[in-house]
Amino acid sequence: NTLKKDSINDSSVIVKKKIIDLAGDVGGQEDLVWLGEKLAAASGEGEAAWQAMLKIFKRSGADVMGEWLTKLAAENAQGKITNEQRIAFFEMTERKADGENKLELLKTVRQELASSYIANSNFERAAECLGKLREAAKTDQEKGEILNKLLEVYLKWPNVKNAADLVYNSLLEKDLEPNSVIVQSIDSYLNTPPEGGDPKALLAELAKIRVPEQRAKWRQRMELWTEKVSQAVDANGVK
């Protein structure tokens, strides 16, 4: 350990990188600590340290990954690792947690992955993660919260067909109040469409839904949205 500490603080960048590479090849989880301290280093040391850590993580079990999950999620806020590096670590953690049947860790890492995919505008992968989380959810409240996030992802994507399918499934259960997250998400989309978004296309897809009986509030909301978008189209001179 003394030799390692003395050597890693050597002024030679070449020596430092060789020790970092060696740690990646033969090191254990105890080496993750000092490698983690090198993530923000310049002259390529930071990237070398990250690659070495990935090698050690590949040899480690899910419990070790779980210990580092919170640490590496927090590192990004300090600019020590990129969102892409976080995703690489989270994806590896997901595979290990799934393989070792660590359900709580699997849930946590999929939540982190969904957020990271959204930050990278990778909405397809985010939707996959949220779908798995919804399947594993144990309470109606938890399922509802995930459903709302899923709708937001579909609208940001945008994937109006999937968004409409999700709304349909919700309407099968109950009418949608004006203050429901689903209605508010659609409202926000129509007011400020994302890049590539088309309010008319979303409304056209929603209009195809075979709405169950006794869904008066949803029908009223659709009428309001249709009128609103129609007026916006007329004002912009678009047909």
Side-chain angles (χ1 to χ4, degrees), residues 155 178 183-195 197-200 202-203 221 224-232 236:
L155 292 175
V183 170
Q184 290 178 349
S185 293
I186 294 173
D187 219 22
S188 177
Y189 175 92
L190 295 176
N191 287 329
T192 312
E195 184 177 351
D198 183 353
K200 287 174 66 180
L202 174 60
L203 279 181
R221 181 58 51 177
L224 290 171
W225 282 332
T226 301
E227 183 179 355
K228 182 178 182 179
V229 170
S230 178
Q231 288 175 350
N236 291 327

Side-chain angles (χ1 to χ4, degrees), residues 5 17 25 28 30 39 53 69 71 82 86 89 91 93 102 110 114 139 174 183 187 197 204 207 218 231:
K5 288 180 181 177
K17 285 188 177 179
D25 291 336
E30 68 278 0
L39 288 175
M53 290 179 77
L69 183 66
K71 294 179 185 179
T82 65
R86 272 161 48 102
F89 171 76
E91 287 177 340
T93 304
K102 302 281 186 178
R110 280 175 175 164
T139 66
K174 61 182 179 180
V183 170
D187 219 22
W218 172 256
Q231 288 175 350

Side-chain angles (χ1 to χ4, degrees), residues 71-91:
K71 294 179 185 179
L72 289 177
E75 297 289 5
N76 188 56
Q78 303 170 27
K80 290 185 178 179
I81 62 173
T82 65
N83 200 44
E84 288 76 12
Q85 288 172 328
R86 272 161 48 102
I87 288 173
F89 171 76
F90 292 151
E91 287 177 340

Side-chain angles (χ1 to χ4, degrees), residues 50-203:
W50 175 248
Q51 292 303 323
M53 290 179 77
L54 284 181
K55 289 180 180 179
I56 295 173
F57 284 136
K58 286 178 182 177
R59 299 193 293 272
S60 303
D63 288 339
V64 173
M65 308 293 279
E67 289 174 15
W68 278 85
L69 183 66
T70 304
K71 294 179 185 179
L72 289 177
E75 297 289 5
N76 188 56
Q78 303 170 27
K80 290 185 178 179
I81 62 173
T82 65
N83 200 44
E84 288 76 12
Q85 288 172 328
R86 272 161 48 102
I87 288 173
F89 171 76
F90 292 151
E91 287 177 340
M92 189 188 301
T93 304
E94 181 189 27
R95 290 192 295 272
K96 287 181 180 285
D98 194 21
E100 296 179 29
N101 202 32
K102 302 281 186 178
L103 299 183
E104 280 303 313
L105 176 58
L106 193 57
K107 174 183 174 181
T108 302
V109 74
R110 280 175 175 164
Q111 290 170 337
E112 292 286 356
L113 265 174
S115 298
S116 297
Y117 286 140
I118 291 170
N120 267 21
S121 298
N122 192 340
F123 300 118
E124 185 173 1
R125 295 300 299 274
E128 287 178 14
C129 257
L130 290 169
K132 291 175 182 176
L133 283 168
R134 192 179 177 206
E135 286 177 12
K138 296 177 180 177
T139 66
D140 289 340
Q141 180 180 347
E142 194 176 1
K143 288 179 181 178
E145 290 171 357
I146 296 169
L147 182 145
N148 294 333
K149 289 181 183 177
L150 196 51
L151 177 60
E152 290 179 12
V153 166
Y154 287 148
L155 292 175
K156 286 178 180 177
W157 191 332
N159 187 325
V160 295
K161 175 65 170 63
N162 284 7
D165 288 344
L166 192 150
V167 171
Y168 172 66
N169 289 332
S170 298
L171 284 168
L172 287 176
E173 297 178 7
K174 61 182 179 180
D175 202 355
L176 295 174
E177 301 285 341
N179 63 348
S180 74
V181 178
I182 287 179
V183 170
Q184 290 178 349
S185 293
I186 294 173
D187 219 22
S188 177
Y189 175 92
L190 295 176
N191 287 329
T192 312
E195 184 177 351
D198 183 353
K200 287 174 66 180
L202 174 60
L203 279 181

